[in-house]
Amino acid sequence: MQNYITKFVFVILAAFIAAGISYADSVNVTVNCDEKKAEISDHLYGIFFEDINFAADGGLYAELVQNRSFEYHTVPGRNPLREKYHALYAWQKVERNGGECTLTAEREIPLNRNNHNYLTVHIDKAGEAGVMNTGYDGIPLDRGAKYDFSVYARREGGISKLSITLETQDGKVCGKASVKGIEANWKKFETTIQSRITTDNARLVVTSENTGKLHLDMVSLFPQDTFKGRKNGLRKDLAQALADLEPKFLRFPGGCISHGHSLENAYRWPDTVGDLSQRRGNWNLWGYHQTYGLGFFEYFQFCEDIGAEPLPVVPVGVSCGFRPPYECAPMDELDEWIDEAVNLIEFANGDTDTEWGSVRAEMGHPEPFDMEYICLGNEEHDRPELHERFPHFVKAIREKYPDIKIIGTSGLGTGIPLYPLMDKLNVYSSDEHYYMSPEWYFNNDTRFDDFDRSNPLIFVGEYASQGNTHYNALAEAAFLTGVERNADIVDMTCYAPLFAHKNHTQWRAADLIWFDKSQVVKTPNYYVQQLFSKNAGDYYLGNDVEVVRDEKPQTISGSVGLGSWNTQLEAAEARLNGRKLDLSEFEQSSGDFDFSGGRLSQKDGGASPAISFSPKEFSGEKITYSVRARKTAGDEGFLIVFGAENSDTYYWWNIGGWGNSQHAIEKTVNGRKSVLTQRNGSIKPNRWYEMKVELSSGRIRCYLDNKLIHDYSLEKKSIYASTTLDEEKGEVAVKLVNSSDKPADVRIKLNNISRAARMADVKLLEGEPGAENTFENPDRIKPETKRIKAGREFDYKAPAMSVQFIKIKVD
């Protein structure tokens, strides 16, 4: 984490400085306390759990033994360990006091049909021989804590007793126990061990003093001190970190892992319920194995424990579009997938005399979980196969469970291509995902202002600003002020991913909570989520925010250029302020450019990007750069480059990007891109296009064939505000984000109330933009609480780079 974040901080600070962030001299915030603009959903803020970055096994799921049922094998995925996995991974033989043995993984007489492998310890010489497990990078133990050990065992020969020892790496005994009575058939044995010491690096040792064959399966070591004391429960500190967010819902078990790497290993919820030894483990597309000890029953139970609504995600018969080949369940086999989705509702809510309700009851929960929502699919690609299959799921659920609220999927990216289909099917809400730069979130607090209120509600089911610095947290806070302003259509939100293991992380762009064996690091992003979740309020109140600035609008200068991404092109003409540029003088930075016959061609269809720069530079209050070009082959469109300082710092207008689905203005600083504004759009091959970029003081306008595509303001908005009312508490909350590098003098006025308290509480999150919380310094960025003078009208100084929630009691 540290090395990655350090590099990211350098880049983000460079971008921050280069952007010339403006600051507010003074701000007037007027709150109309009797103007209830939007009712805020009582489940607006939740959490999303996916088993990525070892979030479940080795993370939230408290099991301390790794590969407990000997089912590991080589898998694909991003995990560097994926090719090292084998049936005896994390296990080593033990030979002491003259004992000798060998270890094999066998399948001849399995524990059951879902648990194929088991361990055979061939003990050839008596003494002390057996096996040890090293857990996930070592087993953490606390002095005085009790641990439940269990194993399924059978024997051939004279073995009847097992010694169970917890010991340090140098052999110091932390605690021990034994089990007796091993027979020829599989039998479960259980005991408890109390640790004498605290260590982060223990191991579990299972040995026998007799010769023969010892067969073992489902070897488990569980702390008794789990969250809420649950058997087969959750790691207490990680679960408590989630509970402290006070989430109103939990989306689970994941996004892409729901699809699986293919249909063959999609996440099938029936495999995750029932007796642990009967659950059919799986591997996930992130490149490691899942025991499914943390299964759907445990997810529902955790929701109940923290007062969150369960939002289960089920696959819809199509595989992950990011992992070719794209697979779809044949239409004559789709009923199996549909039935699974329908049966989940019976498992959660059905009577105990139903097939799946009885399974829930047998697991210890005869009462229904009162599930209200089901999420169908995740980030589905806009393909005919999805359009054909998805409606069948909606129809089946509505026929049997008309009260269940169906959450659909809006498709990939900010363009939400499947939203029209979800509107046609009249789903309750539609799930949209985006992982964008901080600048995108600052620029898109107005994203939902113009959404059609007659369409389905919006669920922002996955989002993050590609980093865990304080600056990233500010960007996400700014975006959430816009979410609250549009609470009449935005029904739910949740950040993603939730967890990242320090030593086993596949997704480093941004993660809410980092952890290792014994430590939890809450990011600045975490505290932003917590502030909004715990202070949502009941209504968004009308307000007016007036910002007085003392600075000139920003202008853009530099050189221009032309490029493409995985696309070949031909340019016939380029003009700067009406004057023709000599295309033969353009200098190639990347790709394969060639000038002949008066035209500039880019011939490398795999260059990402290919760019050629003009040696001419420009500056001034108003600049117009135009290009006439056509796409000759490839996946995307054109890159119209402007404001270039060098080959690593520039703007470009990306036309037909993201697989020829989006137009966007992007800025690259020191090689790192950020999206400033984006909209749906595509281009056609072998058609000539006229593209024009107009730069004026504080503004970028982009035209395609004389049609205005983007009108983007360079003026950096520095103050973001949301004002909400909590009726039960009689409390107005003024939520302010100051993204500038200077403090802002804020005048707050509360209209249409009879009385306001003279003092107010402020929850404040502030710090340097590049600051982060690390394992070495986990509390560098953390909210503080202070009291300030208030009233119906009062002054407040918002620190630079800050988020503050000012809560005033009112009548």
Side-chain angles (χ1 to χ4, degrees):
M1 176 186 179
Q2 184 64 52
N3 291 338
Y4 167 76
I5 293 295
T6 299
K7 294 176 183 176
F8 182 82
V9 168
F10 174 79
V11 172
I12 202 71
L13 283 175
F16 175 78
I17 294 169
I21 296 294
S22 65
Y23 65 88
D25 285 337
S26 61
V27 182
N28 296 314
V29 177
T30 302
V31 185
N32 299 319
C33 298
D34 61 342
E35 186 181 3
K36 298 176 180 178
K37 298 285 286 187
E39 185 173 359
I40 295 174
S41 162
D42 59 7
H43 44 251
L44 181 58
Y45 297 109
I47 54 178
F48 165 51
F49 181 90
E50 177 162 11
D51 195 356
I52 183 174
N53 306 328
F54 280 65
D57 294 303
L60 184 62
Y61 184 50
E63 173 66 78
L64 297 172
V65 173
Q66 184 173 188
N67 190 19
R68 68 185 180 187
S69 60
F70 310 99
E71 303 294 336
Y72 276 21
H73 54 83
T74 300
V75 297
R78 296 184 183 180
N79 180 16
L81 298 174
R82 64 190 183 278
E83 295 182 355
K84 298 180 181 180
Y85 288 141
H86 56 85
L88 298 183
Y89 184 87
W91 294 93
Q92 301 172 23
K93 70 177 179 180
V94 175
E95 296 176 324
R96 298 169 181 170
N97 300 323
E100 294 183 5
C101 67
T102 57
L103 308 180
T104 60
E106 300 183 1
R107 302 168 69 105
E108 185 177 356
I109 307 177
L111 184 60
N112 55 62
R113 65 180 182 177
N114 290 330
N115 200 333
H116 303 121
N117 292 347
Y118 58 91
L119 170 68
T120 297
V121 185
H122 306 261
I123 304 177
D124 301 315
K125 287 188 178 182
E128 185 180 359
V131 66
M132 72 169 64
N133 186 272
T134 53
Y136 296 88
D137 306 325
I139 295 175
L141 300 174
D142 291 321
R143 182 180 179 182
K146 294 181 179 180
Y147 299 85
D148 291 331
F149 170 85
S150 64
V151 65
Y152 283 84
R154 62 182 179 87
R155 65 172 172 81
E156 296 175 51
I159 300 170
S160 63
K161 176 183 175 182
L162 298 180
S163 295
I164 318 300
T165 308
L166 296 174
E167 61 181 40
T168 61
Q169 294 297 310
D170 58 4
K172 183 178 180 180
V173 174
C174 308
K176 63 190 308 182
S178 63
V179 297
K180 301 177 182 179
I182 299 172
E183 302 171 352
N185 296 320
W186 287 112
K187 181 180 177 182
K188 186 177 183 180
F189 298 87
E190 298 176 280
T191 189
T192 298
I193 305 173
Q194 187 170 20
S195 179
R196 303 171 190 166
I197 65 172
T198 296
T199 178
D200 274 346
N201 204 18
R203 56 197 183 191
L204 170 69
V205 180
V206 181
T207 58
S208 176
E209 296 179 351
N210 302 104
T211 59
K213 289 184 180 180
L214 172 64
H215 307 286
L216 303 175
D217 206 346
M218 291 296 293
V219 186
S220 174
L221 184 71
F222 238 93
Q224 289 188 353
D225 189 21
T226 60
F227 185 71
K228 301 291 185 181
R230 297 286 190 187
K231 288 278 190 182
N232 191 54
L234 306 181
R235 180 173 147 178
K236 192 173 182 179
D237 56 348
L238 293 180
Q240 189 61 54
L242 300 185
D244 289 345
L245 287 168
E246 296 187 11
K248 304 309 181 287
F249 66 86
L250 169 64
R251 178 175 177 247
F252 63 87
C256 288
I257 72 162
S258 299
H259 296 286
H261 198 276
S262 64
L263 291 183
E264 183 180 357
N265 87 312
Y267 196 107
R268 313 299 290 269
W269 75 264
D271 292 337
T272 77
V273 299
D275 184 88
L276 291 178
S277 69
Q278 297 282 347
R279 300 187 189 184
R280 185 174 68 85
N282 201 354
W283 58 276
N284 72 26
L285 49 71
W286 301 114
Y288 59 93
H289 289 264
Q290 303 168 280
T291 64
Y292 285 161
L294 174 54
F296 263 52
F297 178 85
E298 288 75 24
Y299 285 121
F300 279 112
Q301 186 172 254
F302 182 55
C303 288
E304 192 172 75
D305 284 343
I306 63 174
E309 292 281 352
L311 258 66
V313 180
V314 294
V316 289
V318 297
S319 68
C320 180
F322 293 109
R323 292 161 177 85
Y326 187 63
E327 296 181 350
C328 301
M331 291 302 296
D332 59 0
E333 298 177 12
L334 194 62
D335 282 350
E336 172 190 340
W337 298 80
I338 295 172
D339 290 344
E340 202 165 286
V342 173
N343 290 340
L344 174 60
I345 302 170
E346 182 177 282
F347 174 78
N349 296 350
D351 294 335
T352 57
D353 59 356
T354 62
E355 178 184 0
W356 288 103
S358 66
V359 173
R360 182 195 71 242
E362 289 170 6
M363 296 183 71
H365 202 287
E367 304 82 7
F369 283 115
D370 297 327
M371 173 179 133
E372 295 184 30
Y373 307 87
I374 190 167
C375 301
L376 297 180
N378 167 79
E379 283 185 11
E380 309 298 346
H381 287 228
D382 185 13
R383 299 181 59 141
E385 297 90 339
L386 186 278
H387 282 257
E388 183 179 17
R389 285 158 178 75
F390 199 93
H392 292 279
F393 286 81
V394 175
K395 181 175 183 289
I397 291 171
R398 283 197 175 134
E399 285 180 352
K400 190 165 184 179
Y401 297 105
D403 293 334
I404 290 293
K405 297 180 177 69
I406 296 172
I407 298 177
T409 171
S410 294
L412 296 174
T414 59
I416 54 175
L418 290 174
Y419 192 52
L421 174 63
M422 299 302 114
D423 182 29
K424 181 180 177 181
L425 294 172
N426 194 30
V427 299
Y428 171 77
S429 69
S430 191
D431 180 16
E432 57 183 58
H433 300 171
Y434 19 83
Y435 296 93
M436 309 297 283
S437 68
E439 286 73 20
W440 186 90
Y441 289 94
F442 281 125
N443 293 330
N444 279 272
D445 69 304
T446 59
R447 173 175 173 81
F448 304 108
D449 288 1
D450 298 324
F451 268 54
D452 188 340
R453 265 53 185 172
S454 66
N455 288 345
L457 297 172
I458 300 298
F459 173 27
V460 185
E462 294 184 32
Y463 74 96
S465 65
Q466 300 177 346
N468 290 137
T469 68
H470 182 56
Y471 186 66
N472 293 99
L474 289 173
E476 290 152 9
F479 180 73
L480 290 178
T481 64
V483 163
E484 292 193 342
R485 183 171 62 254
N486 291 278
D488 59 320
I489 192 166
V490 183
D491 189 57
M492 297 178 179
T493 64
C494 52
Y495 181 103
L498 192 58
F499 283 122
H501 192 298
K502 178 182 179 181
N503 301 320
H504 302 284
T505 301
Q506 297 82 53
W507 182 282
R508 291 186 173 272
D511 299 281
L512 199 66
I513 301 168
W514 289 77
F515 69 95
D516 61 13
K517 290 177 290 186
S518 58
Q519 193 173 357
V520 177
V521 177
K522 300 172 182 178
T523 61
N525 319 67
Y526 172 95
Y527 290 116
V528 162
Q529 294 293 319
Q530 187 181 57
L531 282 171
F532 277 91
S533 181
K534 295 178 72 171
N535 300 281
D538 301 308
Y539 294 95
Y540 182 86
L541 297 177
N543 61 69
D544 180 66
V545 180
E546 179 189 13
V547 180
V548 180
R549 292 187 172 91
D550 182 22
E551 61 177 8
K552 294 180 180 180
Q554 182 183 348
T555 59
I556 294 176
S557 60
S559 60
V560 297
L562 175 66
S564 64
W565 191 286
N566 292 337
T567 298
Q568 298 173 12
L569 63 80
E570 183 180 35
E573 183 179 270
R575 291 178 177 269
L576 189 60
N577 286 342
R579 295 184 178 182
K580 271 191 176 183
L581 295 174
D582 189 342
L583 293 176
S584 68
E585 294 181 348
F586 275 54
E587 299 173 358
Q588 175 180 307
S589 175
S590 57
D592 182 13
F593 286 85
D594 176 67
F595 180 81
S596 63
R599 293 179 176 176
L600 181 65
S601 301
Q602 199 294 111
K603 300 179 179 180
D604 185 352
S608 53
I611 303 179
S612 187
F613 292 95
S614 168
K616 304 292 185 183
E617 294 190 356
F618 64 85
S619 62
E621 291 293 318
K622 188 170 183 179
I623 305 295
T624 300
Y625 173 46
S626 61
V627 176
R628 183 170 180 261
R630 67 174 178 171
K631 165 184 172 177
T632 56
D635 298 331
E636 301 200 359
F638 311 106
L639 302 173
I640 308 301
V641 181
F642 57 96
E645 298 178 20
N646 53 55
S647 61
D648 289 324
T649 299
Y650 48 81
Y651 294 85
W652 71 31
W653 181 20
N654 188 343
I655 305 168
W658 292 271
N660 199 22
S661 66
Q662 303 281 308
H663 303 321
I665 300 175
E666 298 181 83
K667 184 175 183 179
T668 298
V669 177
N670 296 329
R672 185 177 179 87
K673 297 193 301 295
S674 61
V675 175
L676 302 182
T677 187
Q678 189 173 20
R679 60 173 290 181
N680 292 342
S682 61
I683 63 166
K684 296 179 180 179
N686 296 311
R687 173 187 161 182
W688 290 99
Y689 286 91
E690 301 285 344
M691 294 157 285
K692 181 172 64 176
V693 176
E694 287 185 352
L695 306 176
S696 58
S697 184
R699 205 152 211 90
I700 303 172
R701 292 183 175 91
C702 299
Y703 297 84
L704 185 63
D705 287 341
N706 293 317
K707 180 181 178 181
L708 180 64
I709 304 299
H710 306 289
D711 187 355
Y712 177 74
S713 173
L714 289 168
E715 184 177 2
K716 297 298 178 182
K717 186 175 179 179
S718 59
I719 296 293
Y720 303 80
S722 171
T723 54
T724 59
L725 171 66
D726 187 318
E727 283 193 316
E728 182 178 347
K729 294 181 179 178
E731 190 173 78
V732 169
V734 179
K735 307 167 187 181
L736 295 175
V737 180
N738 180 11
S739 65
S740 73
D741 57 353
K742 295 290 194 306
D745 293 321
V746 184
R747 182 72 173 174
I748 297 172
K749 184 178 181 181
L750 307 180
N751 282 343
N752 305 317
I753 55 171
S754 59
R755 188 188 68 85
R758 291 188 175 185
M759 301 296 292
D761 288 327
V762 179
K763 294 286 186 181
L764 175 65
L765 194 70
E766 65 173 323
E768 294 298 317
E772 57 168 335
N773 292 339
T774 65
F775 286 90
E776 296 74 25
N777 188 3
D779 295 325
R780 183 177 179 186
I781 300 292
K782 191 174 183 179
E784 60 177 287
T785 302
K786 62 180 183 179
R787 295 276 286 173
I788 63 169
K789 291 182 179 180
R792 286 189 292 182
E793 192 168 349
F794 61 96
D795 294 321
Y796 172 77
K797 186 177 286 290
M801 295 290 154
S802 63
V803 180
Q804 44 263 300
F805 281 38
I806 306 167
K807 298 188 290 183
I808 313 110
K809 296 285 187 180
V810 298
D811 291 329

